[in-house]
Structures are given as structure tokens and as C-alpha cells.
Amino acid sequence: MPIHYDGFHIDGFYDTQPDELSRFLDATSAEAYEVAALKQGEDITL
Amino acid sequence: MRIRWLGWAGVELEAQGHSVVIDLLGRPEGVLEGTPLSAPMPKVVRPHTEGDVIAGLCTHLHRDHTDAVALAEALRPDGRVLHPVSFGGDDHENLWTLKADRELDERNLSRHPMGLWETITIGPFTIAAVPAVDTLGDPQVSWAIEAGGKRVLHLGDSMFHGYWWRAAHRFGPFDAVLTPINGPTVCFPHCQPPEPLSGLARRRPGGRGYAPAGSEDRGADPLRRIPHRRLL
């Protein structure tokens, strides 16, 4: 599938996934990635 | 895949009964030993699988990301150390990597310099060297690692650069990205002037550089005249 870019906005950024259309994410309402702030020695399992 | 943060940039990955460590730092006080510099030292912990680690990955050969003593204690006898290939150059260029480089040799660790985009499989881990850049310009990679259908990306000391698109296309999407969160002010005392771009410009006396068209100013620092948008 060809990659398409649907414009550029200076106040946002793109989320690009392989084989998917790139998506514009507004800087103030972007999808939230889960952030894990671990302590030394702490672990997580994917 | 189990991910354990060991402090500073150190991480331990476990999958299918094997483990690798990334940017392992065992003794922070060793980072600035032999230099006139001082700084608060981070808290670190040892890997759970110490002595049985199959590979030690170093994003770059700065001493806080490459601790040969800690790697020697962590790796099993046939364990390997992966790190970026050298750019070559003299000791002046490589001043910030000489210490870690020498210590790896002193410990007789098995070293595997990785070229950009090179991929290797060790145990259950498929490991790729992704181009990366930090503020000091020494060879650096980010490590893209897959095991058991999960992928992670360790960014070392990466600053923003333009390789993300290609990295995402080749190796993404990632289940977790391990990233620095601070933006330090650094010094590189043996390199002057402290602003490298102005140093670069002074080696081109009289050149127009990227001065705006029509400018008659041919001073000694043409990069100062670059419109900001042209620097992007």
C-alpha cells in the first residue's frame, strides 16, 4: 500500500505505521501513549 | 518479554529463558574517574541474570553507557558486547570514547562492532543497529530488539534526528520505546569553540556560507546570518 501524507501542520505531528495511512495527531489531542516511569530494578512484561 | 530498568540508561531484557543488557552501568563513580569533572551520580542496580547474560549492547562508547567491568560480571563466558563501529579518526576526535574502548579490551570481552542497519540474532533476540545521534557526535546507535513477537527500541542518548521514518518503516511498530527524558547541558572541554557550528564556519574565511542573497557581509562567522528556517 502506498504511503500517503495528508498535509502538514506546524503545530502537530504524524503517527506513521507500516502499511497504514499516516495520521495527523493534533498536539493538544493526540492519542496518549502509555508512559511507564519505572524505579531502579522495577520491571514490566510486554 | 520482561523489561527491567537498572538505572541511568541501563536495561535488562529477558525472553524465553535468556537475557541481554543495554547500556549497563555498574559503578557510576567510574564514569568521571581520571577527569577533573564531577557530577551527582545516579543510583543503579545489578541485573537479575548477572553472570548469565548472552549479550551486552552499548548504544555508544561513552563511559556511562559502556562499563566494561559491569559487562564482564554480567556476561556469561561466551557472551558478546555489541557496539557501534568506529568512525576512525585520531584520539582528539575520539577522546570521549577512548576510556570505554580501552576498558573493553582490557577485560578481553568479545566485541562485535555493528554497522548502521546491521542485524544479528543472538539466542531468542533479533537485534538491529538503528542510526542515532547525540550532541557530542560520537558513533551511536539505537537498539531495535525483537523476541517472542515483542519489539522494543532503546534510544541511548539520542537527540532528535531524521532517521525515525526509516527506522519505523523497517522495524516498527514497537511495543515499547525506552527513551531519555532529560536534556542536559554538556561541555566538551577539549573542543573549542563550544559552539561547533561557529567553529565550522571559521574554517571557511571569506566564504558566503548560506548568507541571504544580496548580503554583502562576508564576516568571519557566516553561519550567524542563516535565517533560522534554513537551519532545519
Side-chain angles (χ1 to χ4, degrees), chain B residues 38-76:
Chain B
S38 63
M41 290 293 127
K43 176 187 174 184
V44 297
V45 298
R46 293 171 176 268
H48 279 205
T49 59
E50 188 173 61
D52 196 35
V53 175
I54 59 175
L57 284 56
C58 305
T59 56
H60 57 302
L61 295 187
H62 292 165
R63 182 57 176 71
D64 56 329
H65 295 254
T66 301
D67 184 336
V69 172
L71 287 167
E73 293 171 350
L75 291 170
R76 67 187 197 187

PDB file of all heavy atoms in Angstrom, chain B residues 38-76:
ATOM      1  N   SER B  38      33.141  16.602  37.840  1.00  0.00           N
ATOM      2  CA  SER B  38      32.365  15.977  38.905  1.00  0.00           C
ATOM      3  C   SER B  38      30.896  16.221  38.629  1.00  0.00           C
ATOM      4  O   SER B  38      30.525  17.198  37.973  1.00  0.00           O
ATOM      5  CB  SER B  38      32.746  16.549  40.270  1.00  0.00           C
ATOM      6  OG  SER B  38      32.443  17.927  40.329  1.00  0.00           O
ATOM      7  N   ALA B  39      30.071  15.322  39.106  1.00  0.00           N
ATOM      8  CA  ALA B  39      28.633  15.438  38.905  1.00  0.00           C
ATOM      9  C   ALA B  39      27.942  14.476  39.858  1.00  0.00           C
ATOM     10  O   ALA B  39      28.540  13.489  40.303  1.00  0.00           O
ATOM     11  CB  ALA B  39      28.257  15.109  37.458  1.00  0.00           C
ATOM     12  N   PRO B  40      26.699  14.741  40.200  1.00  0.00           N
ATOM     13  CA  PRO B  40      25.947  13.765  41.005  1.00  0.00           C
ATOM     14  C   PRO B  40      25.849  12.445  40.250  1.00  0.00           C
ATOM     15  O   PRO B  40      25.681  12.424  39.033  1.00  0.00           O
ATOM     16  CB  PRO B  40      24.572  14.425  41.156  1.00  0.00           C
ATOM     17  CG  PRO B  40      24.783  15.863  40.842  1.00  0.00           C
ATOM     18  CD  PRO B  40      25.911  15.920  39.864  1.00  0.00           C
ATOM     19  N   MET B  41      25.976  11.346  40.971  1.00  0.00           N
ATOM     20  CA  MET B  41      25.957  10.034  40.334  1.00  0.00           C
ATOM     21  C   MET B  41      24.584   9.373  40.479  1.00  0.00           C
ATOM     22  O   MET B  41      23.939   9.486  41.523  1.00  0.00           O
ATOM     23  CB  MET B  41      27.019   9.126  40.966  1.00  0.00           C
ATOM     24  CG  MET B  41      28.430   9.543  40.630  1.00  0.00           C
ATOM     25  SD  MET B  41      28.777   9.300  38.878  1.00  0.00           S
ATOM     26  CE  MET B  41      29.377  10.918  38.422  1.00  0.00           C
ATOM     27  N   PRO B  42      24.146   8.678  39.466  1.00  0.00           N
ATOM     28  CA  PRO B  42      22.833   8.034  39.535  1.00  0.00           C
ATOM     29  C   PRO B  42      22.883   6.746  40.357  1.00  0.00           C
ATOM     30  O   PRO B  42      23.938   6.132  40.534  1.00  0.00           O
ATOM     31  CB  PRO B  42      22.539   7.715  38.067  1.00  0.00           C
ATOM     32  CG  PRO B  42      23.887   7.516  37.461  1.00  0.00           C
ATOM     33  CD  PRO B  42      24.803   8.481  38.163  1.00  0.00           C
ATOM     34  N   LYS B  43      21.705   6.330  40.825  1.00  0.00           N
ATOM     35  CA  LYS B  43      21.582   5.041  41.508  1.00  0.00           C
ATOM     36  C   LYS B  43      21.373   3.954  40.450  1.00  0.00           C
ATOM     37  O   LYS B  43      20.570   4.124  39.535  1.00  0.00           O
ATOM     38  CB  LYS B  43      20.399   5.059  42.462  1.00  0.00           C
ATOM     39  CG  LYS B  43      20.131   3.731  43.145  1.00  0.00           C
ATOM     40  CD  LYS B  43      18.840   3.789  43.949  1.00  0.00           C
ATOM     41  CE  LYS B  43      18.503   2.414  44.522  1.00  0.00           C
ATOM     42  NZ  LYS B  43      17.197   2.429  45.229  1.00  0.00           N
ATOM     43  N   VAL B  44      22.100   2.868  40.584  1.00  0.00           N
ATOM     44  CA  VAL B  44      21.940   1.746  39.648  1.00  0.00           C
ATOM     45  C   VAL B  44      21.793   0.450  40.445  1.00  0.00           C
ATOM     46  O   VAL B  44      22.182   0.380  41.612  1.00  0.00           O
ATOM     47  CB  VAL B  44      23.135   1.642  38.676  1.00  0.00           C
ATOM     48  CG1 VAL B  44      23.235   2.876  37.801  1.00  0.00           C
ATOM     49  CG2 VAL B  44      24.430   1.408  39.434  1.00  0.00           C
ATOM     50  N   VAL B  45      21.242  -0.558  39.810  1.00  0.00           N
ATOM     51  CA  VAL B  45      21.125  -1.887  40.422  1.00  0.00           C
ATOM     52  C   VAL B  45      21.676  -2.918  39.438  1.00  0.00           C
ATOM     53  O   VAL B  45      21.771  -2.675  38.237  1.00  0.00           O
ATOM     54  CB  VAL B  45      19.653  -2.222  40.776  1.00  0.00           C
ATOM     55  CG1 VAL B  45      19.113  -1.231  41.793  1.00  0.00           C
ATOM     56  CG2 VAL B  45      18.781  -2.231  39.533  1.00  0.00           C
ATOM     57  N   ARG B  46      22.022  -4.067  39.967  1.00  0.00           N
ATOM     58  CA  ARG B  46      22.592  -5.126  39.136  1.00  0.00           C
ATOM     59  C   ARG B  46      21.491  -5.874  38.390  1.00  0.00           C
ATOM     60  O   ARG B  46      20.365  -5.986  38.882  1.00  0.00           O
ATOM     61  CB  ARG B  46      23.370  -6.121  40.004  1.00  0.00           C
ATOM     62  CG  ARG B  46      24.615  -5.557  40.639  1.00  0.00           C
ATOM     63  CD  ARG B  46      25.197  -6.540  41.650  1.00  0.00           C
ATOM     64  NE  ARG B  46      26.457  -6.070  42.206  1.00  0.00           N
ATOM     65  CZ  ARG B  46      27.645  -6.368  41.705  1.00  0.00           C
ATOM     66  NH1 ARG B  46      27.734  -7.137  40.637  1.00  0.00           N
ATOM     67  NH2 ARG B  46      28.747  -5.904  42.260  1.00  0.00           N
ATOM     68  N   PRO B  47      21.832  -6.433  37.236  1.00  0.00           N
ATOM     69  CA  PRO B  47      20.831  -7.239  36.530  1.00  0.00           C
ATOM     70  C   PRO B  47      20.511  -8.515  37.301  1.00  0.00           C
ATOM     71  O   PRO B  47      21.376  -9.088  37.958  1.00  0.00           O
ATOM     72  CB  PRO B  47      21.513  -7.550  35.191  1.00  0.00           C
ATOM     73  CG  PRO B  47      22.960  -7.263  35.394  1.00  0.00           C
ATOM     74  CD  PRO B  47      23.079  -6.268  36.488  1.00  0.00           C
ATOM     75  N   HIS B  48      19.259  -8.948  37.227  1.00  0.00           N
ATOM     76  CA  HIS B  48      18.842 -10.178  37.907  1.00  0.00           C
ATOM     77  C   HIS B  48      19.567 -11.398  37.363  1.00  0.00           C
ATOM     78  O   HIS B  48      19.770 -12.371  38.075  1.00  0.00           O
ATOM     79  CB  HIS B  48      17.331 -10.369  37.750  1.00  0.00           C
ATOM     80  CG  HIS B  48      16.526  -9.554  38.710  1.00  0.00           C
ATOM     81  ND1 HIS B  48      15.253  -9.894  39.108  1.00  0.00           N
ATOM     82  CD2 HIS B  48      16.811  -8.398  39.369  1.00  0.00           C
ATOM     83  CE1 HIS B  48      14.799  -8.995  39.959  1.00  0.00           C
ATOM     84  NE2 HIS B  48      15.719  -8.080  40.113  1.00  0.00           N
ATOM     85  N   THR B  49      19.931 -11.343  36.083  1.00  0.00           N
ATOM     86  CA  THR B  49      20.539 -12.512  35.442  1.00  0.00           C
ATOM     87  C   THR B  49      22.060 -12.371  35.356  1.00  0.00           C
ATOM     88  O   THR B  49      22.694 -12.976  34.490  1.00  0.00           O
ATOM     89  CB  THR B  49      19.953 -12.710  34.035  1.00  0.00           C
ATOM     90  OG1 THR B  49      20.200 -11.537  33.256  1.00  0.00           O
ATOM     91  CG2 THR B  49      18.452 -12.962  34.098  1.00  0.00           C
ATOM     92  N   GLU B  50      22.633 -11.588  36.256  1.00  0.00           N
ATOM     93  CA  GLU B  50      24.074 -11.345  36.224  1.00  0.00           C
ATOM     94  C   GLU B  50      24.848 -12.665  36.165  1.00  0.00           C
ATOM     95  O   GLU B  50      24.566 -13.598  36.922  1.00  0.00           O
ATOM     96  CB  GLU B  50      24.502 -10.553  37.454  1.00  0.00           C
ATOM     97  CG  GLU B  50      25.939 -10.077  37.420  1.00  0.00           C
ATOM     98  CD  GLU B  50      26.252  -9.162  38.580  1.00  0.00           C
ATOM     99  OE1 GLU B  50      26.126  -9.624  39.740  1.00  0.00           O
ATOM    100  OE2 GLU B  50      26.593  -8.002  38.343  1.00  0.00           O
ATOM    101  N   GLY B  51      25.811 -12.732  35.277  1.00  0.00           N
ATOM    102  CA  GLY B  51      26.609 -13.933  35.083  1.00  0.00           C
ATOM    103  C   GLY B  51      26.081 -14.855  33.999  1.00  0.00           C
ATOM    104  O   GLY B  51      26.768 -15.783  33.577  1.00  0.00           O
ATOM    105  N   ASP B  52      24.866 -14.582  33.528  1.00  0.00           N
ATOM    106  CA  ASP B  52      24.256 -15.459  32.523  1.00  0.00           C
ATOM    107  C   ASP B  52      23.689 -14.672  31.342  1.00  0.00           C
ATOM    108  O   ASP B  52      22.861 -15.173  30.593  1.00  0.00           O
ATOM    109  CB  ASP B  52      23.150 -16.284  33.182  1.00  0.00           C
ATOM    110  CG  ASP B  52      22.744 -17.481  32.329  1.00  0.00           C
ATOM    111  OD1 ASP B  52      23.635 -18.065  31.661  1.00  0.00           O
ATOM    112  OD2 ASP B  52      21.548 -17.826  32.307  1.00  0.00           O
ATOM    113  N   VAL B  53      24.131 -13.444  31.168  1.00  0.00           N
ATOM    114  CA  VAL B  53      23.636 -12.583  30.091  1.00  0.00           C
ATOM    115  C   VAL B  53      24.332 -12.964  28.782  1.00  0.00           C
ATOM    116  O   VAL B  53      25.556 -13.131  28.753  1.00  0.00           O
ATOM    117  CB  VAL B  53      23.890 -11.101  30.445  1.00  0.00           C
ATOM    118  CG1 VAL B  53      23.502 -10.189  29.290  1.00  0.00           C
ATOM    119  CG2 VAL B  53      23.138 -10.722  31.717  1.00  0.00           C
ATOM    120  N   ILE B  54      23.569 -13.094  27.709  1.00  0.00           N
ATOM    121  CA  ILE B  54      24.178 -13.575  26.458  1.00  0.00           C
ATOM    122  C   ILE B  54      24.747 -12.441  25.599  1.00  0.00           C
ATOM    123  O   ILE B  54      25.566 -12.698  24.717  1.00  0.00           O
ATOM    124  CB  ILE B  54      23.180 -14.414  25.622  1.00  0.00           C
ATOM    125  CG1 ILE B  54      21.936 -13.606  25.255  1.00  0.00           C
ATOM    126  CG2 ILE B  54      22.816 -15.675  26.371  1.00  0.00           C
ATOM    127  CD1 ILE B  54      20.994 -14.369  24.330  1.00  0.00           C
ATOM    128  N   ALA B  55      24.329 -11.219  25.826  1.00  0.00           N
ATOM    129  CA  ALA B  55      24.885 -10.095  25.056  1.00  0.00           C
ATOM    130  C   ALA B  55      24.731  -8.797  25.828  1.00  0.00           C
ATOM    131  O   ALA B  55      23.705  -8.569  26.481  1.00  0.00           O
ATOM    132  CB  ALA B  55      24.203  -9.977  23.684  1.00  0.00           C
ATOM    133  N   GLY B  56      25.763  -7.971  25.727  1.00  0.00           N
ATOM    134  CA  GLY B  56      25.716  -6.634  26.297  1.00  0.00           C
ATOM    135  C   GLY B  56      25.725  -5.620  25.170  1.00  0.00           C
ATOM    136  O   GLY B  56      26.680  -5.572  24.378  1.00  0.00           O
ATOM    137  N   LEU B  57      24.676  -4.846  25.067  1.00  0.00           N
ATOM    138  CA  LEU B  57      24.536  -3.883  23.978  1.00  0.00           C
ATOM    139  C   LEU B  57      24.893  -2.494  24.494  1.00  0.00           C
ATOM    140  O   LEU B  57      24.371  -2.068  25.530  1.00  0.00           O
ATOM    141  CB  LEU B  57      23.100  -3.871  23.447  1.00  0.00           C
ATOM    142  CG  LEU B  57      22.653  -5.025  22.552  1.00  0.00           C
ATOM    143  CD1 LEU B  57      22.841  -6.390  23.178  1.00  0.00           C
ATOM    144  CD2 LEU B  57      21.173  -4.826  22.183  1.00  0.00           C
ATOM    145  N   CYS B  58      25.748  -1.805  23.761  1.00  0.00           N
ATOM    146  CA  CYS B  58      26.136  -0.446  24.134  1.00  0.00           C
ATOM    147  C   CYS B  58      25.700   0.485  23.006  1.00  0.00           C
ATOM    148  O   CYS B  58      26.135   0.312  21.863  1.00  0.00           O
ATOM    149  CB  CYS B  58      27.643  -0.347  24.339  1.00  0.00           C
ATOM    150  SG  CYS B  58      28.295  -1.535  25.545  1.00  0.00           S
ATOM    151  N   THR B  59      24.883   1.467  23.323  1.00  0.00           N
ATOM    152  CA  THR B  59      24.450   2.393  22.281  1.00  0.00           C
ATOM    153  C   THR B  59      25.618   3.228  21.776  1.00  0.00           C
ATOM    154  O   THR B  59      25.633   3.627  20.614  1.00  0.00           O
ATOM    155  CB  THR B  59      23.345   3.333  22.776  1.00  0.00           C
ATOM    156  OG1 THR B  59      23.811   4.040  23.939  1.00  0.00           O
ATOM    157  CG2 THR B  59      22.071   2.563  23.107  1.00  0.00           C
ATOM    158  N   HIS B  60      26.573   3.494  22.654  1.00  0.00           N
ATOM    159  CA  HIS B  60      27.774   4.220  22.258  1.00  0.00           C
ATOM    160  C   HIS B  60      28.828   4.002  23.332  1.00  0.00           C
ATOM    161  O   HIS B  60      28.534   3.463  24.399  1.00  0.00           O
ATOM    162  CB  HIS B  60      27.482   5.698  22.014  1.00  0.00           C
ATOM    163  CG  HIS B  60      26.871   6.427  23.164  1.00  0.00           C
ATOM    164  ND1 HIS B  60      25.676   6.063  23.760  1.00  0.00           N
ATOM    165  CD2 HIS B  60      27.284   7.534  23.843  1.00  0.00           C
ATOM    166  CE1 HIS B  60      25.376   6.902  24.729  1.00  0.00           C
ATOM    167  NE2 HIS B  60      26.344   7.794  24.811  1.00  0.00           N
ATOM    168  N   LEU B  61      30.039   4.425  23.028  1.00  0.00           N
ATOM    169  CA  LEU B  61      31.150   4.109  23.912  1.00  0.00           C
ATOM    170  C   LEU B  61      31.475   5.241  24.881  1.00  0.00           C
ATOM    171  O   LEU B  61      32.629   5.379  25.299  1.00  0.00           O
ATOM    172  CB  LEU B  61      32.389   3.724  23.093  1.00  0.00           C
ATOM    173  CG  LEU B  61      32.259   2.445  22.267  1.00  0.00           C
ATOM    174  CD1 LEU B  61      33.604   2.070  21.631  1.00  0.00           C
ATOM    175  CD2 LEU B  61      31.737   1.281  23.103  1.00  0.00           C
ATOM    176  N   HIS B  62      30.503   6.032  25.244  1.00  0.00           N
ATOM    177  CA  HIS B  62      30.711   6.911  26.387  1.00  0.00           C
ATOM    178  C   HIS B  62      30.658   6.050  27.639  1.00  0.00           C
ATOM    179  O   HIS B  62      29.880   5.093  27.729  1.00  0.00           O
ATOM    180  CB  HIS B  62      29.644   8.016  26.433  1.00  0.00           C
ATOM    181  CG  HIS B  62      29.776   8.987  25.302  1.00  0.00           C
ATOM    182  ND1 HIS B  62      28.766   9.868  24.952  1.00  0.00           N
ATOM    183  CD2 HIS B  62      30.807   9.225  24.448  1.00  0.00           C
ATOM    184  CE1 HIS B  62      29.174  10.605  23.925  1.00  0.00           C
ATOM    185  NE2 HIS B  62      30.402  10.230  23.596  1.00  0.00           N
ATOM    186  N   ARG B  63      31.453   6.422  28.605  1.00  0.00           N
ATOM    187  CA  ARG B  63      31.685   5.553  29.756  1.00  0.00           C
ATOM    188  C   ARG B  63      30.420   5.292  30.587  1.00  0.00           C
ATOM    189  O   ARG B  63      30.329   4.278  31.273  1.00  0.00           O
ATOM    190  CB  ARG B  63      32.789   6.184  30.620  1.00  0.00           C
ATOM    191  CG  ARG B  63      33.206   5.407  31.819  1.00  0.00           C
ATOM    192  CD  ARG B  63      33.679   4.005  31.474  1.00  0.00           C
ATOM    193  NE  ARG B  63      34.162   3.340  32.662  1.00  0.00           N
ATOM    194  CZ  ARG B  63      33.381   2.922  33.642  1.00  0.00           C
ATOM    195  NH1 ARG B  63      32.078   3.086  33.562  1.00  0.00           N
ATOM    196  NH2 ARG B  63      33.906   2.328  34.705  1.00  0.00           N
ATOM    197  N   ASP B  64      29.478   6.212  30.545  1.00  0.00           N
ATOM    198  CA  ASP B  64      28.247   5.980  31.315  1.00  0.00           C
ATOM    199  C   ASP B  64      27.286   5.033  30.598  1.00  0.00           C
ATOM    200  O   ASP B  64      26.242   4.669  31.142  1.00  0.00           O
ATOM    201  CB  ASP B  64      27.545   7.299  31.656  1.00  0.00           C
ATOM    202  CG  ASP B  64      27.230   8.139  30.436  1.00  0.00           C
ATOM    203  OD1 ASP B  64      27.985   8.086  29.448  1.00  0.00           O
ATOM    204  OD2 ASP B  64      26.209   8.868  30.472  1.00  0.00           O
ATOM    205  N   HIS B  65      27.642   4.631  29.388  1.00  0.00           N
ATOM    206  CA  HIS B  65      26.829   3.665  28.644  1.00  0.00           C
ATOM    207  C   HIS B  65      27.606   2.385  28.342  1.00  0.00           C
ATOM    208  O   HIS B  65      27.027   1.433  27.813  1.00  0.00           O
ATOM    209  CB  HIS B  65      26.325   4.281  27.335  1.00  0.00           C
ATOM    210  CG  HIS B  65      25.380   5.423  27.552  1.00  0.00           C
ATOM    211  ND1 HIS B  65      24.021   5.334  27.349  1.00  0.00           N
ATOM    212  CD2 HIS B  65      25.605   6.689  27.993  1.00  0.00           C
ATOM    213  CE1 HIS B  65      23.446   6.483  27.639  1.00  0.00           C
ATOM    214  NE2 HIS B  65      24.394   7.329  28.030  1.00  0.00           N
ATOM    215  N   THR B  66      28.885   2.386  28.640  1.00  0.00           N
ATOM    216  CA  THR B  66      29.735   1.215  28.390  1.00  0.00           C
ATOM    217  C   THR B  66      30.636   1.019  29.596  1.00  0.00           C
ATOM    218  O   THR B  66      31.646   1.709  29.741  1.00  0.00           O
ATOM    219  CB  THR B  66      30.582   1.413  27.112  1.00  0.00           C
ATOM    220  OG1 THR B  66      29.716   1.631  25.996  1.00  0.00           O
ATOM    221  CG2 THR B  66      31.436   0.187  26.844  1.00  0.00           C
ATOM    222  N   ASP B  67      30.272   0.107  30.452  1.00  0.00           N
ATOM    223  CA  ASP B  67      31.011  -0.169  31.679  1.00  0.00           C
ATOM    224  C   ASP B  67      31.565  -1.578  31.558  1.00  0.00           C
ATOM    225  O   ASP B  67      30.868  -2.575  31.795  1.00  0.00           O
ATOM    226  CB  ASP B  67      30.065  -0.038  32.880  1.00  0.00           C
ATOM    227  CG  ASP B  67      30.781  -0.212  34.207  1.00  0.00           C
ATOM    228  OD1 ASP B  67      31.855  -0.852  34.228  1.00  0.00           O
ATOM    229  OD2 ASP B  67      30.264   0.283  35.223  1.00  0.00           O
ATOM    230  N   ALA B  68      32.827  -1.682  31.200  1.00  0.00           N
ATOM    231  CA  ALA B  68      33.419  -2.991  30.898  1.00  0.00           C
ATOM    232  C   ALA B  68      33.415  -3.920  32.107  1.00  0.00           C
ATOM    233  O   ALA B  68      33.198  -5.126  31.969  1.00  0.00           O
ATOM    234  CB  ALA B  68      34.841  -2.799  30.379  1.00  0.00           C
ATOM    235  N   VAL B  69      33.672  -3.370  33.288  1.00  0.00           N
ATOM    236  CA  VAL B  69      33.683  -4.219  34.485  1.00  0.00           C
ATOM    237  C   VAL B  69      32.292  -4.812  34.719  1.00  0.00           C
ATOM    238  O   VAL B  69      32.146  -6.015  34.972  1.00  0.00           O
ATOM    239  CB  VAL B  69      34.143  -3.409  35.711  1.00  0.00           C
ATOM    240  CG1 VAL B  69      33.979  -4.229  36.985  1.00  0.00           C
ATOM    241  CG2 VAL B  69      35.597  -2.970  35.532  1.00  0.00           C
ATOM    242  N   ALA B  70      31.282  -3.980  34.620  1.00  0.00           N
ATOM    243  CA  ALA B  70      29.912  -4.474  34.812  1.00  0.00           C
ATOM    244  C   ALA B  70      29.537  -5.488  33.741  1.00  0.00           C
ATOM    245  O   ALA B  70      28.873  -6.497  34.022  1.00  0.00           O
ATOM    246  CB  ALA B  70      28.931  -3.300  34.797  1.00  0.00           C
ATOM    247  N   LEU B  71      29.976  -5.244  32.517  1.00  0.00           N
ATOM    248  CA  LEU B  71      29.685  -6.195  31.438  1.00  0.00           C
ATOM    249  C   LEU B  71      30.390  -7.524  31.681  1.00  0.00           C
ATOM    250  O   LEU B  71      29.816  -8.602  31.469  1.00  0.00           O
ATOM    251  CB  LEU B  71      30.108  -5.602  30.091  1.00  0.00           C
ATOM    252  CG  LEU B  71      29.209  -4.484  29.549  1.00  0.00           C
ATOM    253  CD1 LEU B  71      29.893  -3.758  28.394  1.00  0.00           C
ATOM    254  CD2 LEU B  71      27.862  -5.053  29.094  1.00  0.00           C
ATOM    255  N   ALA B  72      31.631  -7.465  32.137  1.00  0.00           N
ATOM    256  CA  ALA B  72      32.367  -8.701  32.396  1.00  0.00           C
ATOM    257  C   ALA B  72      31.686  -9.528  33.484  1.00  0.00           C
ATOM    258  O   ALA B  72      31.683 -10.765  33.432  1.00  0.00           O
ATOM    259  CB  ALA B  72      33.800  -8.366  32.794  1.00  0.00           C
ATOM    260  N   GLU B  73      31.107  -8.859  34.457  1.00  0.00           N
ATOM    261  CA  GLU B  73      30.410  -9.577  35.527  1.00  0.00           C
ATOM    262  C   GLU B  73      29.049 -10.090  35.081  1.00  0.00           C
ATOM    263  O   GLU B  73      28.569 -11.111  35.551  1.00  0.00           O
ATOM    264  CB  GLU B  73      30.250  -8.648  36.744  1.00  0.00           C
ATOM    265  CG  GLU B  73      31.581  -8.298  37.412  1.00  0.00           C
ATOM    266  CD  GLU B  73      31.417  -7.224  38.470  1.00  0.00           C
ATOM    267  OE1 GLU B  73      30.319  -6.614  38.547  1.00  0.00           O
ATOM    268  OE2 GLU B  73      32.386  -6.993  39.220  1.00  0.00           O
ATOM    269  N   ALA B  74      28.442  -9.375  34.151  1.00  0.00           N
ATOM    270  CA  ALA B  74      27.084  -9.746  33.727  1.00  0.00           C
ATOM    271  C   ALA B  74      27.076 -10.856  32.682  1.00  0.00           C
ATOM    272  O   ALA B  74      26.198 -11.737  32.702  1.00  0.00           O
ATOM    273  CB  ALA B  74      26.361  -8.516  33.175  1.00  0.00           C
ATOM    274  N   LEU B  75      28.048 -10.819  31.778  1.00  0.00           N
ATOM    275  CA  LEU B  75      28.014 -11.744  30.635  1.00  0.00           C
ATOM    276  C   LEU B  75      28.429 -13.155  31.045  1.00  0.00           C
ATOM    277  O   LEU B  75      29.312 -13.343  31.887  1.00  0.00           O
ATOM    278  CB  LEU B  75      28.946 -11.239  29.537  1.00  0.00           C
ATOM    279  CG  LEU B  75      28.517  -9.963  28.824  1.00  0.00           C
ATOM    280  CD1 LEU B  75      29.647  -9.437  27.934  1.00  0.00           C
ATOM    281  CD2 LEU B  75      27.264 -10.212  27.982  1.00  0.00           C
ATOM    282  N   ARG B  76      27.804 -14.119  30.415  1.00  0.00           N
ATOM    283  CA  ARG B  76      28.299 -15.483  30.584  1.00  0.00           C
ATOM    284  C   ARG B  76      29.570 -15.637  29.733  1.00  0.00           C
ATOM    285  O   ARG B  76      29.874 -14.763  28.901  1.00  0.00           O
ATOM    286  CB  ARG B  76      27.222 -16.485  30.206  1.00  0.00           C
ATOM    287  CG  ARG B  76      26.837 -16.523  28.749  1.00  0.00           C
ATOM    288  CD  ARG B  76      25.640 -17.450  28.567  1.00  0.00           C
ATOM    289  NE  ARG B  76      25.472 -17.843  27.171  1.00  0.00           N
ATOM    290  CZ  ARG B  76      24.432 -18.540  26.703  1.00  0.00           C
ATOM    291  NH1 ARG B  76      23.455 -18.915  27.535  1.00  0.00           N
ATOM    292  NH2 ARG B  76      24.359 -18.867  25.443  1.00  0.00           N
TER     293      ARG B  76
END
